[in-house]
Amino acid sequence: MTEITDLSLEELAKSLKNKQFSAVEAGRAFISKINRAKKLNAFITFDEDRLLKSADQADKNIKGGAASLLNGAPIGIKDIILTKGMRTTAGSKILENFVPPYDATVIKKIAAAGGLVLGKTNQDEFAMGSSNENSYYGPVLNPWDTSRVPGGSSGGSAVAVAASLAPAALGTDTGGSIRQPAALCGIVGLRPTYGRVSRYGVVAFASSLDQVGVFARNVKDCALMAQIISGHDALDSTSAALAVPDFTALASKPIKGLKVGIPAEYFIKGVNKEVEDAVRAAIKKIQELGAEIVEISLPHTEYAVAVYYVIAPAEASSNLARYDGVRYGYRAKGVKDLSELYRNSRSEGFGKEVKRRILIGNYVLSSGYYDAFYLKAQKVRSLVAKDFFTVFKDQCDVIACPTTPTTAFKIGEKTDDPLQMYLNDIFTIPVNLAGLPGLSVPCGFDSGGLPIGLQLIGNLWEEEKLLRTAYAYEQATDWHKKRPRIGEG
Amino acid sequence: MSTKETNSETLSLDEVNRIARLSNLVINEEDAKKLTHQLNDILGYVQQLSRLETKNIEPMSHAQSSSNIYREDSAANTLTTEEALENAPDRSGNFFRTPLIVEG
């Protein structure tokens, strides 16, 4: 029999419902696996007793005949998402001892679907990073090669799912923080349309770009999780008052006749040859499955990273002004007055990358630079978004391209050059600027055995077409069945 | 994916220190020098945006056009005082306590 930890989320929920094993037994299996894979550093906070207690309650519910979608399956939660009574750090020292007094809406939705909080996964501090090296709690290791990064910022969630430490996990995606680590870890990652999922109770980084999404080892599980967490929330005024489609049912609809656009601007110098070959082979496969391939152009792609590194830091510098050591979070010791309390608490509590972005943000928003940087970036953001809406109007249904220009890089390789690190997100950032849904699905391995991701981008509210395309492709290939052999111990 | 954009020294060390003060951050001299270099790299890269003509383009401030959303002004159960104070680094009764603000 397949180990409990290797079951898909769908299989796990079904086995729990059929009482093949209890939620407590499943919880124990994950605890044991997580303890054996500690060196990956996928979790920041992991509370065995709490997990087993909630699993015991789930078992009672099942015995009482209360079937749900998840039946006590435990889900990994990125540590930027508030969990009542369970420490939430956002990867930062400044929130090292923060225990939220309430749950994020997505946590309530998972609980309502019968899911449990497995643990809080590691991440770049405040989701600022592409390698998980900016975590105060140490880097996460890529299970395919532990000398390499898992991607970021949701690196812990991606590794937990890839290494079977969790059947599925939540992440957030502000500039690629779900799709990029999904690609680098060989799993499926979905960032839904901006507004599809409530951001209530999610620590804010860049509010016009942030969105909660999901990781899973196959497309159907990803669809199931997306369905569970989606929907309007009165507590988040940017969440859309739209009905949530039945993503799991829609995922298996055929893709015949679907128009898939291939943007020339995503196949440029700087993209690793093996990555390009794997993505082109995947596109050919999708064509064989009945989709129509069309060449498209998204001419403002090259400006997206520049736009992002004005807008995201600007929003972050405002959002992070709240950390002042007064109401919650880290407070510096031995200060003489209030202004020193603010300064020292922030200076001791924030890490290097966070400070860098606060400085950029406050600079581009400051008097004399606002028009040249911030307003200019907002205008070019319009152009980047318009590129997408033009092609979705009458040229294609879905866009296919690489998720990342390269496979996982070495730990420490880019830490001294922030700009090189930022450029790693060149293919994921445009999606966030336009507010679109994006998905990464495994499409091969390079000669070093590192996973490669195919990115699918859809029009607003059309996650269903991404899931459908990814599912058809996944069913026709074996990439998702390959799992890393992690050196345990 | 060239990083060799204009990279003119937009930002001086003094300006980095000024922005740090505005941001309520203390930065030591060595870090300030390194940051000046890194921020110039990033802002130099960003300056490629000036190549685009955007005179008649509307700025996009949010992923979706939205308008104000209203609700009834009715009482509801939210955080209790105790819950709101749970994470306070220092408190006095039902207040957050801070060091001296104004000499009295």
Side-chain angles (χ1 to χ4, degrees), chain A residues 99 331 347 362 369 376 382, chain B residues 15 23 26 52 58 87 97:
Chain A
V99 179
R331 176 182 283 198
S347 303
N362 280 331
Y369 303 100
K376 185 77 184 183
S382 287
Chain B
E15 265 178 307
S23 307
V26 190
L52 285 171
E58 279 293 308
N87 281 281
R97 181 154 54 189

Side-chain angles (χ1 to χ4, degrees), chain A residues 429-445:
Chain A
I429 279 175
V431 166
N432 301 72
L433 295 178
L436 301 171
L439 179 150
S440 183
V441 61
C443 74
F445 292 86

Side-chain angles (χ1 to χ4, degrees), chain A residues 178-187 403-404 440 450-454:
Chain A
I178 289 174
R179 291 158 289 150
Q180 187 252 18
L184 268 41
C185 291
I187 56 170
T403 309
T404 57
S440 183
L450 297 169
I452 299 169
L454 167 74

